[in-house]
Amino acid sequence: MTRRTVHRTCPLCEATCGLAITLQDDAVKVIRGDRDNPFSRGFICPKGSTLGRLHDDPDRIRTPLIRRDGEFVEATWSEALAEIDRRLSPILAEHGRDAAALYIGNPNAHGFQNNLAIRPFAKALGTKNIYSASTVDQMPKHVSSGHMFGHPGTIPVPDIDRTHHLLLLGANPLESNGSLATAPDWQGRLEALRARGGRLVVVDPRRTKTAAMADEHLAIRPGSDAAWLLSLLWVLFDEDLITREMVPVNGLDEVRRATSGFDPETTAGFTGIDAETTRRAARDLAAAPSACVYGRIGTHTVEFGTLASWGVDVLNVVTGNLDRPGGAMFPLGLHQPANRRSRPFRQGRFRSRVRELPETLGELPVATLADEILTEGPGQVRALFTIAGNPALTTPDADRLNAALAGLELMVSVDIYLNETTRHADVILPGRSALEKSHYDLAFTTLSLRDYAMYSPPVFDHDGLSEFEAIVALTGIAAGMGPDADPAFLAEAALVSQVQSAVADVASPIHGREADEILKELAVWPIPERFLDLMIRTGCKGDGFGADPDGMTLERLAAAPHGIDFGPLRSRFDDAISTASGRVELAPEPFLADLPRLAEAVRNHRAGGMVLVGRRELRSNNSWLHNVEVLVRGKRRCTLHLHPEDAERLGVTDGGPVLVRSNAGQVTATAEVTDTVMRGVVSLPYGWGHDAPGTRLSVASERPGVNTNVLTDRIPIDPLSGNAVLNGIPVEVGVSGRP
Ligand SMILES: Nc1nc2c(c(=O)[nH]1)N[C@H]1C(S)=C(S)[C@@H](COP(=O)(O)OP(=O)(O)OC[C@H]3O[C@@H](n4cnc5c(=O)[nH]c(N)nc54)[C@H](O)[C@@H]3O)O[C@H]1N2
Ligand SMILES: Nc1nc2c(c(=O)[nH]1)N[C@H]1C(S)=C(S)[C@@H](COP(=O)(O)OP(=O)(O)OC[C@H]3O[C@@H](n4cnc5c(=O)[nH]c(N)nc54)[C@H](O)[C@@H]3O)O[C@H]1N2
Ligand code: SF4
Ligand SMILES: [Mo]
């Protein structure tokens, strides 16, 4: 019997906790928080300890599947790839590249292999129909960052470990463990904030766990944060509380003018927050020795998502809190170059065919994917690839999308489950369990609240292609090289060209070096790691392949099994900001142009009517952890929260059925009467609805819950980012059978 403990990063959520995994005879015995991890210091949530169960889940897909006569049958990799090639090629030949679409799901952001493989795949497909979970999530933040800071990836994070005042809107990190702000143990960090005399203010229509531990909870009407943030700004200007010690900016006067009409009295009816409370909140923010404003899902997935994102960062700037300790700071990932260079941020370089919605970051709003599949005509989507995504549960107007997926000529999924989305596929290629993959957080080290990095090797081997190789094989097929091209050869060719451009780039630390010499040094690693090593060694702390003998390499990172903590974030304005002016652009033209729409919403607001918001719970993760028994047993969690007064008025009883109807569809949920939700608001968690036929989710299907995205509408979107509206959905609520 051999017993050993390995260490790795939990890939499930953005907190990136360190795990200590004890194995006995190559089976997972127990998973604990890694106490020697300098970032997470032993913190773990109930999900992190289930990686072994996920790995061992008998329902998990381990071999390629091909649908034959309506049934999935196991196939070899070469059969599966040949089938994809045989069916994709005529579609592209006859209907053009736009006839294929790609949907990129959330787990691709958790790691580096898929991340690296997908971009070339999208390029090889050559379609404008690229979609991802970003437009049901954080796209507004990319757009505000792109315009204000010069690059959509330059996202400031709240320095919660040092701040004196955190104003947190539309986020519930005690359940979600944080987002676009990577840190393990938010509860501990927020308790420490309060213990050192800092103040936590939470703005949320629900009294969440995070709100319950706050100094102050402001219940806001869903969808109205942008107007409230403008009111805070209005007060700061009105009371001369704008600091003189801010980072270099353009557009301060334009912002002052833009706030006119958003005084706290005018917005109070719309936001549900009275004018005096708003004034006090603005004064508190300005008076704090350091402060940060942070908004997340509840501010992004709404009709004014980009304006709210913008408002958050304008507040951080004009209170003097951008880019300073205790404020909102710019992280820098180990693999990133120190100095951000970028072309001017542009959107709308192409548009969607049916609704003519503009592109952002090379992708189209996923809210319109079903339109592109269902609407006939040149450019109609006939083939869809999904990689680690479950849009049937996670994107708006789900009934319609489900119908669209059922009618595709070809659908190919790379996934670990036969679920609500992949049941529509013709070919499923197995993804790998977390323990079969090496790990480095390409995305989350760039959003981390400390300068921290970690690399973990795979724990287990597997048969067949790795997930990275599977996506590279699809790239070969999309590029017309057929199903038999060797993924290793294709990836190596991509690496060679990347090294060649690095040595030709005057700004690269390896400019002028021999490409062959660099490639030889990289060759000690498996192929995906070679890309990572190249980035790290040419990155901000890299050794430049010998130029700085003390610099970082993947080898040095890998030698630190608990990761390396390089310290707290540092101010880095000049390197982070890549606008043409070198200043923060406080008043981007498209944002000013969107303000009349907000002013009109404020003006037209009428009280009454119910609206729906979402929620997340600790033991769940988006749509795909419900097949893990230990996480779903116990109290039923997919319930409709509604306020006792609303329940009484509507005749709904606790635990009874409740019918919820919107423009898009209707569901019958189980009611949970609770005063944690404000009057006029109901809340359903998302990611449920596991009762579709043809799935293989033996645990999840026993407690299916309902799919809240049957209720969300595909038509309203945040026009500046294309983000779907998932919160603040007008609904009718009533006893089942008589709404
Ligand atoms: N109403 C409402 N809708 C929402 C949200 C909301 O708050 N409310 N939130 C939105 C947000 S923030 C997000 S990020 C999206 C998420 O939307 P998606 O990315 O579409 O959904 P996930 O539930 O993350 O689905 C992940 C899929 O990947 C599979 N999978 C898991 N791990 C792996 C792996 O390692 N490899 C492979 N190949 N597959 C894997 C799972 O089986 C599942 O099919 O949903 C959005 N939708
Ligand atoms: N346990 C768990 N953890 C997760 C996930 C999960 O599904 N489960 N998903 C992961 C992903 S992909 C993401 S993106 C993050 C998201 O992380 P968070 O942004 O923290 O997401 P939520 O917990 O959904 O919190 C959103 C809050 O916004 C509130 N809200 C709704 N509408 C409004 C509004 O108009 N204004 C304001 N101010 N608030 C509003 C909701 O009541 C809710 O409490 O979580 C990640 N972590
Ligand atoms: S908080 Fe997130 S990263 Fe940490 S153990 Fe839980 S799921 Fe994993
Ligand atoms: Mo997300």
Side-chain angles (χ1 to χ4, degrees):
M1 270 205 321
T2 57
R3 201 179 167 96
R4 64 191 170 112
T5 298
V6 297
H7 300 93
R8 58 182 294 126
T9 311
C10 176
L12 295 177
C13 90
E14 300 182 36
T16 70
C17 303
L19 305 176
I21 306 178
T22 304
L23 302 154
Q24 189 148 351
D25 295 335
D26 275 346
V28 174
K29 271 281 152 221
V30 62
I31 301 185
R32 296 206 172 86
D34 176 7
R35 282 200 218 108
D36 297 319
N37 183 299
F39 194 19
S40 61
R41 292 191 238 134
F43 178 82
I44 187 173
C45 89
K47 299 184 291 298
S49 59
T50 65
L51 292 187
R53 291 191 164 85
L54 278 166
H55 178 79
D56 294 330
D57 187 344
D59 285 343
R60 185 165 64 82
I61 299 174
R62 291 170 170 82
T63 46
L65 300 175
I66 301 180
R67 183 197 299 278
R68 300 249 183 252
D69 304 321
E71 295 289 320
F72 282 106
V73 293
E74 293 193 352
T76 65
W77 278 92
S78 52
E79 284 164 349
L81 294 171
E83 176 81 3
I84 297 167
D85 185 61
R86 185 179 70 73
R87 297 180 56 176
L88 179 68
S89 303
I91 295 174
L92 298 181
E94 197 178 327
H95 303 287
R97 310 298 301 189
D98 288 343
L102 168 63
Y103 175 80
I104 305 161
N106 170 277
N108 294 297
H110 294 259
F112 71 102
Q113 304 199 8
N114 290 26
N115 231 312
L116 291 172
I118 283 177
R119 199 189 299 251
F121 175 50
K123 212 167 152 200
L125 271 179
T127 173
K128 69 176 183 181
N129 283 300
I130 306 289
Y131 303 84
S132 85
S134 289
T135 51
V136 276
D137 189 345
Q138 80 290 358
M139 199 56 108
K141 197 78 226 171
H142 291 307
V143 172
S144 63
S145 284
H147 283 290
M148 296 176 74
F149 308 129
H151 192 281
T154 304
I155 295 177
V157 299
D159 185 11
I160 58 172
D161 291 345
R162 287 180 287 183
T163 196
H164 295 87
H165 186 106
L166 175 61
L167 173 58
L168 180 148
L169 305 98
N172 186 12
L174 262 56
E175 305 269 8
S176 71
N177 291 299
S179 182
L180 299 187
T182 282
D185 190 14
W186 275 71
Q187 179 158 358
R189 287 166 195 271
L190 294 179
E191 277 164 4
L193 181 161
R194 297 197 58 224
R196 65 176 179 265
R199 191 172 166 80
L200 171 65
V201 180
V202 172
V203 183
D204 197 302
R206 300 186 306 117
R207 190 173 68 250
T208 60
K209 270 194 204 161
T210 313
M213 76 169 287
D215 296 280
E216 189 171 9
H217 168 218
L218 305 178
I220 192 166
R221 256 197 72 251
S224 68
D225 297 63
W228 191 65
L229 293 162
L230 279 159
S231 286
L232 293 180
L233 283 166
W234 189 94
V235 175
L236 297 181
F237 281 111
D238 185 57
E239 301 190 4
D240 206 13
L241 295 173
I242 303 287
T243 180
R244 261 164 271 279
E245 284 158 38
M246 68 178 87
V247 293
V249 301
N250 283 328
L252 188 59
D253 283 340
E254 285 88 335
V255 172
R256 178 196 303 268
R257 282 197 292 277
T259 60
S260 107
F262 291 98
D263 57 275
E265 278 74 16
T266 300
T267 58
F270 184 60
T271 62
I273 300 178
D274 68 83
E276 203 35 54
T277 302
T278 303
R279 281 175 205 278
R280 193 171 39 72
R283 288 173 200 142
D284 287 351
L285 187 65
S290 71
C292 46
V293 187
Y294 162 72
R296 202 44 192 103
I297 284 294
T299 56
H300 292 156
T301 57
V302 289
E303 275 191 83
F304 302 100
T306 304
L307 287 181
S309 276
W310 169 65
V312 162
D313 284 328
V314 173
L315 279 166
N316 283 324
V317 171
V318 302
T319 53
N321 285 301
L322 186 76
D323 193 44
R324 71 146 152 160
M329 302 192 75
F330 297 107
L332 180 63
L334 178 64
H335 62 279
Q336 292 184 291
N339 193 318
R340 178 77 94 179
R341 293 174 295 157
S342 54
R343 282 184 289 243
F345 178 65
R346 301 230 330 257
Q347 294 174 271
R349 290 163 294 185
F350 55 88
R351 284 180 179 263
S352 69
R353 175 179 65 103
V354 178
R355 286 171 63 186
E356 298 183 1
L357 298 173
E359 146 283 339
T360 302
L361 301 185
E363 57 179 271
L364 293 169
V366 71
T368 198
L369 173 58
D371 301 321
E372 296 295 329
I373 299 171
L374 292 170
T375 313
E376 287 176 17
Q380 179 181 8
V381 169
R382 294 160 190 275
L384 173 68
F385 292 82
T386 68
I387 303 181
N390 193 4
L393 289 192
T394 61
T395 69
D397 216 338
D399 281 344
R400 191 159 179 275
L401 182 67
N402 262 294
L405 297 182
L408 284 162
E409 281 173 36
L410 171 66
M411 182 168 153
V412 176
S413 295
V414 183
D415 209 285
I416 56 173
Y417 282 115
L418 178 47
N419 63 17
E420 300 75 18
T421 294
T422 59
R423 72 192 170 110
H424 295 294
D426 299 288
V427 182
I428 307 179
L429 302 179
R432 290 302 167 192
S433 94
L435 301 180
E436 294 169 331
K437 285 190 261 200
S438 54
H439 187 92
Y440 170 91
D441 269 300
L442 218 45
F444 303 113
T445 53
T446 75
L447 295 161
S448 181
L449 303 195
R450 284 186 73 85
D451 190 355
Y452 172 80
M454 173 156 172
Y455 168 81
S456 354
V459 180
F460 297 127
D461 295 333
H462 58 76
D463 297 329
L465 299 193
S466 72
E467 197 156 344
F468 179 87
E469 290 166 328
I471 301 169
V472 174
L474 292 177
T475 309
I477 291 172
M481 295 175 197
D484 302 319
D486 177 13
F489 175 81
L490 296 176
E492 181 72 38
L495 182 72
V496 169
S497 86
Q498 209 161 311
V499 170
Q500 282 168 346
S501 30
V503 296
D505 178 356
V506 288
S508 167
I510 54 169
H511 175 242
R513 303 275 293 271
E514 287 294 327
D516 282 348
E517 169 211 350
I518 304 293
L519 286 162
K520 218 171 106 193
E521 292 204 33
L522 295 172
V524 298
W525 292 104
I527 288 193
E529 270 80 352
R530 294 182 202 172
F531 289 91
L532 182 59
D533 195 25
L534 176 65
M535 281 188 272
I536 290 174
R537 299 180 74 175
T538 57
C540 54
K541 297 183 181 69
D543 82 332
F545 289 85
D548 173 3
D550 296 329
M552 281 302 295
T553 62
L554 180 56
E555 192 182 359
R556 288 202 166 128
L557 184 64
H562 312 286
I564 301 179
D565 181 38
F566 298 98
L569 300 181
R570 280 176 277 263
S571 300
R572 49 184 294 268
F573 186 84
D574 290 338
D575 288 338
I577 302 300
S578 58
T579 54
S581 62
R583 295 164 163 258
V584 172
E585 295 297 341
L586 278 186
E589 181 46 41
F591 300 178
L592 300 183
D594 198 30
L595 284 170
R597 190 172 64 93
L598 179 60
E600 194 183 312
V602 172
R603 238 184 351 262
N604 292 346
H605 169 67
R606 298 282 169 275
M610 304 291 289
V611 292
L612 172 74
V613 300
R615 71 176 186 270
R616 281 176 164 71
E617 277 155 326
L618 188 61
R619 303 179 79 83
S620 172
N621 190 39
N622 301 337
S623 73
W624 67 279
L625 276 193
H626 300 146
N627 212 49
V628 180
E629 175 75 35
V630 289
L631 292 178
V632 291
R633 72 171 163 230
K635 184 173 170 250
R636 191 196 291 258
R637 284 195 307 277
C638 184
T639 55
L640 184 87
H641 283 182
L642 82 170
H643 191 275
E645 286 176 20
D646 289 324
E648 196 181 319
R649 180 171 48 85
L650 298 165
V652 174
T653 50
D654 189 52
V658 53
L659 183 68
V660 190
R661 190 149 72 191
S662 75
N663 258 343
Q666 64 178 50
V667 300
T668 300
T670 303
E672 185 175 342
V673 178
T674 163
D675 68 0
T676 58
V677 62
M678 68 193 272
R679 289 173 195 80
V681 177
V682 291
S683 165
L684 256 183
Y686 102 99
W688 297 85
H690 305 294
D691 49 2
T695 64
R696 195 169 82 204
L697 297 167
S698 49
V699 176
S701 59
E702 281 177 16
R703 301 170 186 81
V706 297
N707 180 1
T708 191
N709 280 318
V710 165
L711 299 167
T712 54
D713 193 339
R714 75 187 194 283
I715 299 298
I717 56 169
D718 169 32
L720 291 173
S721 65
N723 210 93
V725 177
L726 306 172
N727 281 290
I729 311 299
V731 285
E732 287 170 28
V733 180
V735 177
S736 187
R738 44 183 180 87

